[in-house]
Every structure is written in C-alpha cells, then in structure tokens.
C-alpha cells in the first residue's frame, strides 16, 4: 500500500542519552487508538523530515482512509520549533464516521517511504467512537514553575523549565505554548503535550520546541486545548521566568 505512513506513535520526545540522534522522523498525535468524531491531529517532523511538514497537501497529500472512504486532512496551522522540530495541526475536511477504523496515509516519493520504514512497521489506525467531544478542558488554578534543568550530556545539553499543569480533560490534552524573550521581543509558538501533571518547555539533546538563546529573561503563555480542538474558557496568566543555568552533568556517551 504505497504511501502508508509507518512511524512511531506519539509526539517526539527527548532521545535517551545512551542513544545517538537520528536525522529524520515523523510523529503523530493523538497517541491513543480510539478517537472522537471531531478529533484533530498533529504531525511533527524531526530534522530532515521537517520539509515534509511544510509541503503537506502540496507534495505530500495526507489523509485518513477506511475501505473506499477517503478523508483529506486539512492543514490548520504550522509551527516551527527552535531546534529540529516542525509541526502541522490537521483537521479532517468532513466528519469521521462512527464505528469505522481509519488508517493514516501520506503520499509522496520514495524518499518518504524509505524514511518511514526505518521505524515501527505497524500502520497508524484509529477507531472512531460514536460521539463528539464538545467539552472544553477544565483549568483549576494557574501554572507555576516547578523546577529548571540544564544538563550537560554526551550529544549536547538538555535545558527545560517544568511548569505545573492545572488543566484536566477526558481527552488527551494539548497546550499551545508561546515563549517570548523579554530581551529581544522574539516570540515562538508550539503545541506541547503535557507529561502527566507537568508542561516541559525547552529542548533535549536532539530536538526541542524552545531554546533559550535570546537572553536570560522570558515570558510564557499557555492556552489549554483538548484533542478535539476545544479551548479552555479559563485563561492562564503569563508567567515570567529566567532561563535555566548549568545544574549537573549527565552521562558523556
């Protein structure tokens, strides 16, 4: 089945310090196998695969298919991170049918197929539940800085600021995160997926949405959203923070 998208389920996370960084990869959200009829999707490209994201539905059509039913995924937004990551926010052009199992496909040349077959050989499939998600996330309280990390490791440094996550939802959560340098005024926006009760803003050895290269002082704004695109009514306050300093050394591999 030409063009079948074969890749690891889940947004790209920091590669273990015991492993070397790769040079490509495509990753998808939601991670779960069951979705609502109005689910949205995120496709993220790492390193050399970032070019695929910017050419979606141009050189690389992307769609869901169940039998002879084919549903195009429209690109709503694209965001380029500051370190080897680019993402596209996608939405089906028509409502998905309840009870069907859809497989995610991407078209393109042999380069795409060659890259993707290096990863998980299972196709990405979703079963559509007979319901829509119309409920926005509940936000209780405000995010706060929990800790800062700057680790010197073998393939390069890791640096992030962990914030508390006050949002709750029955669906998988997304956080539209905008970081502004108070020194230069530069802003970067990227959708993050919280890790349990934390939102980690920064970068790992191999990639990351945010780097702290524009001074010491920053401000972050969080907008909470679920996997159907419902946005929380409660707005989070903007939080000022300083970039992490060197804290400790990791394994030098």
């Amino acid at each position: 089945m030409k063009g079948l998208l074969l890749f690891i389920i889940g947004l790209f996370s920091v590669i273990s310090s015991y492993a070397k960084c790769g040079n490509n990869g495509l990753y998808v959200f939601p991670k779960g196998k069951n979705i609502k009829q109005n689910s949205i999707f995120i496709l993220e490209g790492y390193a050399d695969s970032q070019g695929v994201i910017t050419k979606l539905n141009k050189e690389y059509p992307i769609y869901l298919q169940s039998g002879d039913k084919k549903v195009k995924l429209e690109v709503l937004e694209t965001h380029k991170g500051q370190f080897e990551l680019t993402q596209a926010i996608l939405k089906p052009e028509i409502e998905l049918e309840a009870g069907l199992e859809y497989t995610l496909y991407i078209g393109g040349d042999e380069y795409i197929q060659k890259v993707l077959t290096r990863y998980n050989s299972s196709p990405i499939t979703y079963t559509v539940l007979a319901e829509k998600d119309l409920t926005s996330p509940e936000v209780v309280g405000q995010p706060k800085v929990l800790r800062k990390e700057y680790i010197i490791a073998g393939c390069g440094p890791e640096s992030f600021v962990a914030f508390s996550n006050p949002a709750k939802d029955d669906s998988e959560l997304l956080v539209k995160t905008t970081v502004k340098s108070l020194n230069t005024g530069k802003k970067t926006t990227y959708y993050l997926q919280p890790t349990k009760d934390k939102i980690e803003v920064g970068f790992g050895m191999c990639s990351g949405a945010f780097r702290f290269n524009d001074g010491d002082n920053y401000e972050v704004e969080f907008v909470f959203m679920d996997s159907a695109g419902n946005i929380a009514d409660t707005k989070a306050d903007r939080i000022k923070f300083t970039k992490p300093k060197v804290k400790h050394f990791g394994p030098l591999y």
Side-chain angles (χ1 to χ4, degrees):
M1 293 184 291
K2 186 174 181 180
L4 180 60
L5 195 56
L6 307 175
F7 50 79
I8 299 174
I9 298 178
L11 291 173
F12 183 74
S13 59
V14 176
I15 295 175
S16 167
S17 59
Y18 296 96
K20 294 182 179 179
C21 297
N23 59 9
N24 51 64
L26 292 171
Y27 307 89
V28 71
F29 172 94
K31 295 189 297 183
K33 293 184 178 182
N34 295 324
I35 58 174
K36 306 292 178 65
Q37 289 176 272
N38 58 336
S39 179
I40 62 172
F41 301 83
I42 295 180
L43 185 67
E44 182 174 61
Y46 161 62
D48 292 347
S49 297
Q50 293 178 91
V52 175
I53 305 302
T54 59
K55 297 175 183 176
L56 286 174
N57 290 334
K58 298 172 185 176
E59 291 186 30
Y60 307 113
I62 184 167
Y63 56 95
L64 294 165
Q65 186 157 351
S66 178
D68 60 354
K69 299 179 184 294
K70 184 175 179 179
V71 180
K72 176 183 176 182
L73 292 177
E74 299 176 335
V75 178
L76 300 181
E77 303 174 40
T78 57
H79 296 284
K80 183 174 179 60
Q82 294 182 303
F83 184 26
E84 300 285 13
L85 291 180
T86 301
Q87 66 182 185
I89 316 304
L90 307 163
K91 182 180 180 180
E93 64 177 354
I94 61 174
E95 186 175 288
L96 301 177
E97 292 189 36
L100 294 186
E101 181 180 85
Y102 289 87
T103 300
L104 183 59
Y105 288 84
I106 187 169
D109 56 22
E110 293 181 359
Y111 166 76
I112 289 297
Q113 297 179 49
K114 189 180 299 181
V115 168
L116 296 173
T117 54
R118 293 180 185 176
Y119 297 94
N120 192 333
S121 59
S122 299
I124 299 302
T125 60
Y126 294 103
T127 298
V128 182
L129 303 177
E131 57 183 301
K132 296 180 183 179
D133 183 351
L134 303 175
T135 304
S136 299
E138 180 183 7
V139 178
V140 181
Q142 294 290 331
K144 298 179 181 179
V145 175
L146 297 177
R147 71 178 192 281
K148 301 177 184 179
E149 295 279 356
Y150 188 104
I151 303 169
I152 302 298
C155 295
E158 301 178 9
S159 180
F160 65 88
V161 180
F163 295 86
S164 59
N165 171 31
K168 306 293 180 184
D169 197 271
D170 292 335
S171 302
E172 294 180 58
L173 281 168
L174 290 167
V175 185
K176 187 174 185 179
T177 304
T178 300
V179 174
K180 176 183 178 180
S181 167
L182 298 180
N183 297 84
T184 67
K186 180 179 178 180
K187 291 183 179 181
T188 300
T189 297
Y190 209 84
Y191 283 84
L192 301 178
Q193 188 176 8
T195 304
K196 295 182 180 179
D197 295 325
K198 299 190 298 297
I199 307 165
E200 295 187 347
V201 177
F203 64 93
M205 290 188 300
C206 301
S207 67
F210 303 99
R211 300 195 78 165
F212 306 114
N213 295 331
D214 296 300
D216 293 330
N217 301 297
Y218 295 85
E219 182 180 77
V220 64
E221 180 178 18
F222 297 119
V223 177
F224 297 96
M225 188 173 81
D226 63 21
S227 58
N230 299 306
I231 298 173
D233 295 328
T234 303
K235 292 186 177 180
D237 296 335
R238 295 175 182 175
I239 304 171
K240 291 183 172 59
F241 67 95
T242 56
K243 75 176 182 180
K245 305 297 184 180
V246 176
K247 187 170 183 179
H248 60 271
F249 289 82
L252 299 178
Y253 291 97

